[in-house]
Amino acid sequence: MARLTLSRRLTPDRDIRDLSVLFEVKTISTTGCEKLVYIKPSELLTPKQAMSRIADGTGWPLGDQEYAKGLIAKLSNQAAVREVKRTGLSGWRSSDRAMGCFVMPRRTFGRNRREYEFHSGVEKGREKLGASKGSLGEWQKHVAHPLGQSSAGMAMVGAAFASTLLPFSNLPESFMLLLIGTTTSGKSTLQSAAMSVQGAPSEPISPDSTERAIHEEGGRHNNLMMPVGDLSELLPRQKKAVLHHLTYGVSSNGGRKTSQQVATALANYEFKVIVTCTSEKSAKVIAKEANMPQLGGERARCFDLVPAAGGMGFFDMVRKGEQRGGAAIADDLKESAALYYGTAIEAWIAALAKEEPAVIQARVESLTRSFVKLMEKSQALTPVKRRAAAKFGLLYAALVMAKERDVLRWKEGRIRRAVTACFEGAMRETTEMSSAAAVMALKDALLVEGALLAAPNEKAVRAQARTNRPWLGVRVMKGKQMVVGLRPKVIRQSLGAELAELAFSSLESDGLLTRGKGSERWQKRIPASGKPRMYVLSPEFLD
């Protein structure tokens, strides 16, 4: 006789807005064929309707449906059913104060892994994220070992591990790594090999995708490395636009905000990912070809990884006794990454899930600080470079912690040299903001509606200042002359200290800005002007 077995009650997690609660029922026909049937709670109110759904899903004759009457009664008693939350967001789910589980599209790891399930339109057997093949030892030998001969390759692996540590870091935003090289340089192989940490290597996300599609991929890759394809297929201004969105939108923990109507139907995920991307040209060149400036925020979030000088390309840390050239190493690595994958993330998550979050966070912060201090000894760090050093410090922390948990076999000295080389190379590729671009950025910010207070009298200005806290400046009469007063502290917070200071210095040298040392009477009449008091800007600058 055919049988029905009550399986689970599937409820949508808070990030899923277009799904309803479903009861999962396993049906086993008289021939032993198994099928899953999903029944809505509303259908339980009419047993005949529920049985019709079961019949449609299994093709049972109506006579067999009498067998399921007891099951229908049990379904109505929801307390007797194991609940599983469906989610469209990968990443950590906490259980009390401990690390509960880590959700991935293919499977879930950790203590309470049976409580969550990833929902997507892809069949479980075809999902790449979370898939595994081979053993951890085989991955270490055939994939991680050759990657250890490339500083850029080690940084990419660091990105895969560091993505899972983003919730434990103090970074204000995430970042992206841009592998720079010609068509045959091996950059795509390094990206594919790094993808083997977290699952089966697959085609990276197309850079020509819509912002909404990239936003949804951010949810799928939350707390994971997010691989994006080669930018070379795009036009110059498209490349710059995609880079800008990846560095500011995706690396700022979420996509563009949507209207309430759209948000009701489509989840507005907040996610944390580390993006990896490939290109034949650096971010600096891409900005130049698009005739656009490379902003300070982009330089603090997007880092170029370039091949080393010499004939080995990206394989700049070849071990003694290695007989193969860089191209041969890359070819073997590509084959190995397709054979051994996914076991590293499983071992990594299993190790982290056993620890208290506070312990993980303390170790991450300690290793990150030590790397930043190491960089300070070798060079003077500007504010932008200090932010960059902290992000490379997270890569260093992740690789060291993976070694401590026996997921990697690389020596700590080799890890330090690799991450240091990548940081120094990225800083050489970083272009400093020009004075003209800094001045233009300040002007654009001041011309935004609401940035400058302007009112017919002093009382109205004071009212505006109280209700509009983030204002950057004010048009006010200084005696019989109209002047523009700027709030230097707020502008530095808005544009970044380095960019703002460059603009101030340039305008001061041109005689358009005065940094007052005292507290002039007209400034005291403006509430919340801050200390030091306002800088005086000539009104013609805004014409």
Side-chain angles (χ1 to χ4, degrees):
M1 177 180 285
R3 292 182 293 114
L4 294 178
T5 304
L6 180 60
S7 182
R8 303 175 299 173
R9 178 174 183 262
L10 305 177
T11 60
D13 200 13
R14 60 183 181 276
D15 57 318
I16 295 288
R17 303 182 186 183
D18 58 342
L19 297 178
S20 59
V21 175
L22 292 175
F23 289 101
E24 182 182 84
V25 179
K26 180 186 293 185
T27 66
I28 306 175
S29 68
T30 52
T31 59
C33 181
E34 293 187 5
K35 285 188 178 182
L36 294 178
V37 179
Y38 296 93
I39 301 175
K40 297 179 181 179
S42 59
E43 294 173 331
L44 296 178
L45 300 176
T46 309
K48 185 176 180 180
Q49 187 177 7
M51 298 317 305
S52 177
R53 171 63 66 89
I54 294 174
D56 290 342
T58 60
W60 286 4
L62 294 177
D64 286 340
Q65 294 179 27
E66 293 297 320
Y67 178 81
K69 284 185 177 179
L71 178 64
I72 295 298
K74 191 175 181 182
L75 282 173
S76 302
N77 180 16
Q78 297 182 8
V81 185
R82 182 169 68 87
E83 181 175 315
V84 175
K85 291 183 179 180
R86 288 189 295 175
T87 177
L89 195 67
S90 293
W92 289 106
R93 299 293 190 280
S94 61
S95 175
D96 298 325
R97 291 185 299 173
M99 302 314 300
C101 66
F102 192 91
V103 179
M104 294 184 72
R106 181 67 173 260
R107 53 181 173 159
T108 300
F109 307 100
R111 301 178 190 177
N112 56 336
R113 58 186 177 274
R114 287 167 56 86
E115 296 179 13
Y116 287 90
E117 179 181 276
F118 191 90
H119 171 81
S120 71
V122 181
E123 295 179 12
K124 288 293 180 185
R126 299 177 60 188
E127 278 284 7
K128 303 293 186 181
L129 278 173
S132 64
K133 186 178 180 181
S135 66
L136 176 61
E138 288 172 320
W139 179 84
Q140 291 172 333
K141 178 180 179 181
H142 299 288
V143 180
H145 183 76
L147 274 174
Q149 301 188 94
S150 166
S151 58
M154 294 176 71
M156 295 285 281
V157 171
F161 287 116
S163 300
T164 65
L165 297 179
L166 285 172
F168 307 99
S169 72
N170 287 326
L171 296 179
E173 74 275 323
S174 186
F175 57 98
M176 69 175 292
L177 301 178
L178 187 62
L179 275 170
I180 311 300
T182 59
T183 304
T184 58
S185 62
K187 60 184 186 297
S188 297
T189 298
L190 292 186
Q191 186 184 46
S192 180
M195 290 166 64
S196 73
V197 171
Q198 58 193 33
S202 60
E203 285 295 319
I205 302 160
S206 171
D208 200 26
S209 302
T210 64
E211 287 189 5
R212 176 67 207 183
I214 291 177
H215 179 57
E216 291 173 352
E217 288 291 345
R220 290 185 74 249
H221 290 82
N222 181 48
N223 297 164
L224 295 166
M225 182 184 75
M226 181 173 161
V228 177
D230 202 305
L231 297 178
S232 303
E233 61 188 72
L234 304 177
L235 296 174
R237 293 189 73 86
Q238 285 180 305
K239 295 178 187 177
K240 183 65 172 67
V242 170
L243 268 183
H244 182 82
H245 178 62
L246 291 175
T247 52
Y248 276 98
V250 176
S251 297
S252 296
N253 306 338
R256 180 177 294 177
K257 298 299 181 183
T258 58
S259 68
Q260 187 61 41
Q261 287 181 325
V262 174
T264 301
L266 299 173
N268 190 24
Y269 299 126
E270 289 187 3
F271 51 81
K272 293 185 177 183
V273 300
I274 295 178
V275 178
T276 61
C277 190
T278 60
S279 174
E280 293 185 2
K281 297 179 180 179
S282 66
K284 177 171 62 177
V285 174
I286 288 173
K288 185 177 181 181
E289 290 183 348
N291 196 27
M292 299 173 70
Q294 189 183 14
L295 302 178
E298 293 174 330
R299 292 185 287 119
R301 293 180 176 93
C302 178
F303 309 114
D304 296 338
L305 301 182
V306 298
M312 296 297 286
F314 280 111
F315 294 92
D316 54 336
M317 300 178 66
V318 176
R319 298 180 178 87
K320 292 181 179 179
E322 177 61 69
Q323 302 296 320
R324 298 170 296 173
I329 297 175
D331 290 341
D332 292 344
L333 183 58
K334 186 175 183 179
E335 292 181 7
S336 297
L339 295 173
Y340 313 107
Y341 51 78
T343 52
I345 191 78
E346 183 175 4
W348 172 243
I349 295 299
L352 293 180
K354 297 176 182 177
E355 304 177 29
E356 292 294 324
V359 175
I360 300 174
Q361 183 173 357
R363 186 57 175 156
V364 170
E365 292 177 359
S366 174
L367 289 168
T368 302
R369 283 196 305 269
S370 68
F371 183 82
V372 174
K373 289 180 180 179
L374 181 65
M375 296 303 99
E376 285 178 329
K377 293 180 180 179
S378 60
Q379 58 182 291
L381 297 181
T382 63
V384 169
K385 289 184 177 180
R386 183 177 298 278
R387 286 170 65 186
K391 287 159 186 172
F392 278 89
L394 181 62
L395 299 181
Y396 171 73
L399 292 173
V400 171
M401 291 174 67
K403 176 189 177 300
E404 292 172 346
R405 287 151 183 80
D406 297 322
V407 182
L408 287 174
R409 295 174 180 172
W410 297 335
K411 294 182 178 180
E412 188 169 341
R414 176 172 285 267
I415 293 172
R416 187 183 305 111
R417 291 195 303 273
V419 179
T420 299
C422 289
F423 171 73
E424 292 176 345
M427 294 303 98
R428 284 193 297 270
E429 290 296 315
T430 297
T431 179
E432 295 297 327
M433 172 68 74
S434 66
S435 298
V439 169
M440 184 58 67
L442 174 60
K443 185 174 183 178
D444 290 342
L446 294 176
L447 292 177
V448 172
E449 184 178 357
L452 286 179
L453 303 184
N457 54 59
E458 179 183 317
K459 183 178 180 180
V461 169
R462 293 173 66 87
Q464 287 186 18
R466 290 191 182 95
T467 58
N468 184 17
R469 293 295 182 186
W471 56 281
L472 304 182
V474 59
R475 294 179 186 268
V476 68
M477 294 300 296
K478 181 183 178 183
K480 296 183 178 181
Q481 180 184 6
M482 174 67 73
V483 297
V484 177
L486 301 182
R487 300 169 77 189
K489 182 177 180 180
V490 180
I491 291 175
R492 288 191 179 99
Q493 293 172 345
S494 176
L495 298 183
E498 186 181 16
L499 180 62
E501 183 57 36
L502 188 57
F504 291 151
S505 299
S506 179
L507 291 173
E508 192 174 30
S509 63
D510 292 339
L512 296 174
L513 182 134
T514 303
R515 308 191 201 210
K517 295 181 180 179
S519 301
E520 297 183 51
R521 185 175 180 180
W522 68 272
Q523 295 181 355
K524 292 181 179 179
R525 296 200 300 264
I526 308 298
S529 60
K531 293 182 181 180
R533 294 293 180 180
M534 292 184 178
Y535 293 169
V536 180
L537 178 69
S538 298
E540 57 264 28
F541 171 69
L542 298 174
D543 294 339

